[in-house]
Amino acid sequence: MPTPNPARGEVVVPLAGSPRRLCLTLGALARIEAILGLDDWSALPERFGRLSARELLAVLAALMEGGGEDPAVLDAAPVSVPQAVAAVAAALAACA
């Protein structure tokens, strides 16, 4: 099981059949802004309320990459919408 580094804002969540480390790094934040078409991160909270499934998956992939995980596992193993939402929420809460 991956060990999270709380000082870095990492969290470990169950995804695609295994524990996965997620982290909102600066790179992940930049990818999320681009995915959601945002000019800056201040619009992020409001925009998260209107995510499509494709956007949710892309945000999750960016957070996985930030945690050093391979987001390709999301294509190979099922992830439910509630599981994806919980994982994103946990990663964001770890950075708060």
Side-chain angles (χ1 to χ4, degrees):
M1 172 184 239
T3 304
N5 180 349
R8 232 186 124 220
E10 294 176 349
V11 64
V12 173
V13 297
L15 273 177
S18 295
R20 309 284 178 187
R21 183 180 18 240
L22 278 64
C23 186
L24 182 61
T25 62
L26 187 57
L29 181 58
R31 283 190 294 282
I32 291 168
E33 285 176 353
I35 291 161
L36 301 181
L38 302 175
D39 292 327
D40 62 65
W41 58 268
S42 65
L44 196 61
E46 186 274 328
R47 184 62 175 82
F48 267 22
R50 304 182 283 111
L51 291 181
S52 69
R54 180 179 41 84
E55 291 168 335
L56 175 60
L57 191 59
V59 167
L60 186 55
L63 293 169
M64 287 180 70
E65 287 176 346
E69 298 283 343
D70 182 3
V73 300
L74 297 173
D75 295 329
V79 176
S80 70
V81 172
Q83 189 180 37
V85 169
V88 169
L92 297 177
C95 295

